[in-house]
């Protein structure tokens, strides 16, 4: 097999990298692009297997990303998707290295953060492009001998031919140019002394392992340019999660205390207090529940379906589409709310995806459309709120289009991060900014109503009691303090 050598690197006039392309990485990042986007790395960043890479002095976060690199074999300008793969000569392993400490200075271009010498090792072997199916390649990365990335190219957001064709619309891809095609989940941070290995394989064909050793830089940055800066946001992105970065879990507006209070008050009381605040359009209406015995409280994640259009379904309906991304990224205690436009003529979720949401810890699924595999969905512990059962598949009426955006469901507007309270009485959408104040007033209201109920039970008239006039209010304060005779008569007598 031909090897990557100095001539290979010298032939690369440009190195183009794709931002997000693997569904696993999109789910990890919490954002899924509709179209591919790119950045350039200088050809001077290229290096061979066995090379060292320097973590610049003063930097903390040298990130690695195992990737499949395409080597262009013949010039491509305005080529079609069907013809694009024929312009690729070979695939090899690549490592898209970069320092997150410098993203603040050039996040748009990534030049300083990802353009350093040795920041794009490639190799060691070249697999001929005409010998492989580009949708059946495997990418693996090892960090100090531990496998940390392992994915295949079957469900890429943007297949390789599409990347080549798309780039060629605007610029000429020249012989020797290299395209880094994105990294799967599992990319993380390397420290001086660490050894990184990346391998691409297709059946019995393999590039062999691309080996890079990290060393500590000794020359500090001068004060006439942007120097390293790092914060917890960059640490989380570099390591892949707050937990991996050693950071405390992010504070949630829905604290355990607030959640417990919301679970303790009636949906009707919440609705009453929302109306007092002028919020009359915050109920998701017309749905039934697979578990009417359950009451759920959680933060909203959102998914929008648009009406089916056959050409658009071909590009958005298959693979790891928005529906699957939403299901596969819902977190513990969250509620996935789907906008199906009240369309009852097809299902919007079935047993397998509902089970996946339950396994991930979702508190509930809410859709104003139909549910397939109803008996199986109804048998899950997790409640699903839905318009009706229907046997048809999603594509009969819908295209899964976008996630974590503002949507409409059952006549109510829902935003990601809204607090959802749902039970057999109904489903309410609570703006998180007013939740604490709202639930405290609900607790007070229910306490007052308990007193009123007790007084009516004793035979008192509701006149002046419901709502309470000043005399009854005084009696209520005594009752609340435990200093009143429970059998005392009407204070108005």
């Amino acid at each position: 097999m031909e090897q990557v050598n100095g001539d290979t690197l010298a032939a690369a006039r440009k190195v183009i990298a794709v931002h997000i392309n693997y569904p696993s990485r999109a789910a990890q990042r919490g954002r899924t692009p509709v179209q591919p986007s790119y950045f350039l790395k200088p050809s001077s960043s290229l290096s061979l297997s066995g090379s060292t890479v320097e973590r610049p002095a003063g930097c903390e976060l040298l990130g690695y990303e195992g990737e499949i690199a395409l080597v262009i074999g013949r010039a491509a300008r305005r080529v079609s998707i069907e013809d694009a793969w024929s312009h690729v000569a070979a695939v090899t392993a690549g490592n898209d290295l970069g320092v997150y400490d410098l993203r603040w200075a050039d996040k748009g271009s990534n030049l300083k953060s990802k353009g350093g010498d040795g920041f794009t090792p490639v190799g060691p072997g070249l697999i001929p492009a005409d010998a492989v199916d580009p949708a059946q390649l495997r990418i693996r990365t090892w960090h100090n001998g531990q496998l940390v990335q392992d994915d295949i190219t079957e469900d890429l957001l943007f297949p390789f031919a599409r990347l080549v064709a798309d780039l060629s619309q605007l610029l000429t891809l020249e012989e020797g140019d290299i395209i880094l095609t994105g990294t799967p989940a599992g990319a993380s941070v390397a420290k001086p002394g660490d050894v990184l290995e990346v391998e691409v394989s297709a059946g019995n064909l393999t590039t062999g392992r691309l080996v890079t050793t990290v060393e500590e830089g000794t020359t500090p940055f001068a004060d006439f340019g942007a120097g390293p800066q790092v914060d917890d946001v960059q640490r989380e992105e570099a390591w892949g999660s707050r937990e991996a970065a050693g950071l405390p879990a992010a504070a949630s507006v829905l604290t355990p205390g607030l959640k417990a209070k919301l679970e303790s008050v009636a949906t009707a009381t919440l609705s009453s207090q929302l109306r007092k605040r002028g919020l009359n359009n915050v109920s998701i209406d017309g749905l039934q529940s697979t578990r009417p015995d359950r009451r759920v409280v959680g933060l909203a994640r959102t998914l929008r379906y648009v009406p089916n259009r056959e050409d658009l379904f071909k590009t958005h309906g298959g693979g790891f589409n928005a529906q699957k991304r939403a299901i596969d990224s819902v977190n513990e205690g969250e509620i996935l709310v789907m906008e199906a436009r009240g369309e009852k003529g097809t299902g919007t979720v079935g047993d397998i995806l509902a089970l996946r949401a339950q396994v991930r810890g979702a508190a509930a699924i809410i859709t104003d459309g139909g549910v397939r595999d109803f008996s199986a969905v109804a048998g899950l512990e997790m409640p699903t709120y839905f318009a009706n059962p229907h046997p048809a598949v999603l594509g009969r009426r819908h295209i899964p289009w976008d996630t974590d955006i503002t949507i409409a469901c059952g006549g109510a507007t829902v935003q990601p991060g809204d607090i959802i309270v749902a039970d057999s009485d109904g489903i309410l959408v609570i703006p998180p900014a007013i939740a604490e104040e709202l639930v405290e007033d609900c607790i007070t209201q229910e306490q007052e109503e308990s007193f009123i109920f007790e007084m009516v039970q004793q035979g008192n008239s509701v006149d002046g009691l419901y709502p309470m006039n000043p005399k009854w209010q005084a009696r209520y304060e005594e009752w609340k303090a435990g200093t009143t005779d429970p059998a005392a008569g009407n204070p108005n007598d």
Side-chain angles (χ1 to χ4, degrees):
M1 179 180 293
E2 186 177 350
Q3 300 291 296
V4 174
N5 54 35
D7 291 340
T8 310
L9 305 190
R13 297 182 62 181
K14 50 187 174 289
V15 180
I16 303 171
V18 179
H19 280 110
I20 294 178
N21 198 13
Y22 284 80
S24 61
R25 180 70 162 178
Q28 183 184 44
R29 287 295 203 211
R31 57 183 184 273
T32 301
V34 176
Q35 300 292 346
S37 61
Y38 314 92
F39 60 94
L40 284 168
K41 300 190 75 170
S43 57
S44 56
S45 71
L46 290 167
S47 63
L48 297 171
S49 182
S51 300
T52 59
V53 65
E54 180 183 286
R55 186 182 74 175
C59 290
E60 172 188 337
L61 304 173
L62 176 66
Y64 62 83
E65 300 176 3
E67 307 205 9
I68 297 172
L70 310 183
V71 181
I72 298 298
R74 59 189 180 95
R77 177 70 165 124
R78 297 196 178 102
V79 300
S80 66
I81 291 177
E82 292 74 20
D83 184 47
W85 189 244
S86 68
H87 291 261
V88 179
V91 298
T92 191
N95 196 338
D96 182 15
L97 296 159
V99 280
Y100 282 73
D101 311 62
L102 295 173
R103 292 177 90 197
W104 71 273
D106 65 351
K107 193 172 182 180
S109 70
N110 286 332
L111 179 60
K112 292 192 73 172
S113 60
K114 282 182 173 277
D117 289 351
F119 276 24
T120 316
V122 292
L126 292 164
I127 300 176
D130 59 7
V132 298
D133 178 350
Q136 296 298 320
L137 296 174
R138 184 182 186 188
I139 173 77
R140 288 181 291 174
T141 304
W142 292 264
H143 184 180
N144 292 334
Q146 180 180 358
L147 182 65
V148 292
Q149 292 183 290
D150 189 353
D151 214 330
I152 59 174
T153 56
E154 185 176 16
D155 292 323
L156 290 178
L157 301 176
F158 313 112
F160 295 156
R162 179 174 172 182
L163 298 177
V164 173
D166 182 37
L167 287 164
S168 77
Q169 293 184 89
L170 184 64
L171 53 92
T172 299
L173 296 172
E174 299 163 301
E175 182 179 353
D177 285 351
I178 292 174
I179 302 174
L180 299 175
T181 57
T183 194
S188 189
V189 172
K191 299 178 180 179
D194 289 355
V195 177
L196 304 169
E197 300 171 277
V198 185
E199 181 180 10
V200 176
S201 57
N204 61 352
L205 297 176
T206 176
T207 61
R209 293 196 186 185
L210 167 68
V211 181
T212 307
T213 302
V214 181
E215 61 181 21
E216 182 71 88
T218 58
T219 304
F221 284 90
D223 58 8
F224 49 75
Q229 292 183 19
V230 68
D231 57 23
D232 286 351
V233 172
Q234 298 305 324
R235 291 187 178 97
E236 180 180 356
E237 291 216 347
W239 285 94
S241 69
R242 294 184 65 83
E243 181 181 11
L247 300 171
S252 170
V253 65
L254 188 59
T255 63
L258 175 57
K259 185 172 184 287
K261 290 177 182 178
L262 288 167
E263 290 171 337
S264 73
V265 296
T267 306
T269 309
L270 287 166
S271 179
S272 174
Q273 287 295 330
L274 286 163
R275 285 198 303 274
K276 286 183 179 180
R277 289 161 172 78
L279 294 170
N280 296 301
N281 299 291
V282 288
S283 63
I284 297 176
D285 297 332
L287 307 185
Q288 52 188 314
S289 175
T290 59
R291 298 301 303 267
D293 58 316
R294 295 293 181 87
R295 178 179 176 85
V296 295
V297 177
L299 293 179
R301 297 286 299 277
T302 61
L303 166 64
R304 180 167 64 108
Y305 298 113
V306 297
N308 187 27
R309 206 179 87 185
E310 288 75 6
D311 61 323
L312 295 177
F313 192 87
K314 289 179 180 178
T315 58
H316 289 76
F320 199 61
N321 59 34
Q323 179 199 43
K324 293 177 182 176
R325 294 196 302 270
I327 293 287
D328 217 45
S329 64
V330 66
N331 296 312
E332 183 82 26
E334 294 178 336
I335 296 175
L336 179 57
V337 186
M338 301 179 177
E339 175 185 336
R341 311 177 312 283
E343 171 57 63
K344 299 180 179 181
T346 192
T348 55
V349 67
D351 57 346
I352 292 175
L353 292 184
L355 175 60
R356 176 60 176 158
Q358 176 176 286
V359 168
R360 287 193 58 84
I365 290 175
I366 298 173
T367 174
D368 61 355
V371 167
R372 293 185 71 222
D373 312 308
F374 175 73
S375 295
V377 174
L380 297 176
E381 288 293 313
M382 178 194 69
T384 293
Y385 296 81
F386 63 102
N388 59 283
H390 200 284
V393 296
L394 181 75
R396 181 170 186 252
R397 298 287 172 83
H398 300 298
I399 306 172
W401 197 257
D402 208 351
T403 62
D404 291 322
I405 58 170
T406 300
I407 64 166
C409 181
T413 297
V414 182
Q415 294 191 303
D418 281 342
I419 296 174
I420 305 293
V421 178
D423 60 15
S424 57
D425 281 345
I427 307 168
L428 293 175
V429 182
I430 299 174
I434 68 168
E436 286 281 2
E437 170 197 315
L438 180 80
V439 76
E440 292 298 336
D441 287 351
C442 286
I443 292 170
T444 299
Q445 178 182 329
E446 291 197 344
Q447 194 173 37
E448 291 176 348
E449 289 176 350
S450 293
F451 169 74
I452 293 168
F453 185 87
E454 187 176 322
M455 295 302 103
V456 171
Q457 195 174 43
Q458 292 177 12
N460 291 291
S461 170
V462 295
D463 183 29
L465 174 62
Y466 189 55
M468 290 185 286
N469 61 22
K471 290 182 179 180
W472 272 117
Q473 188 68 45
R475 176 68 64 82
Y476 164 68
E477 294 298 332
E478 294 173 0
W479 174 86
K480 188 168 63 170
T483 59
T484 187
D485 179 0
N490 191 326
N492 295 322
D493 292 344

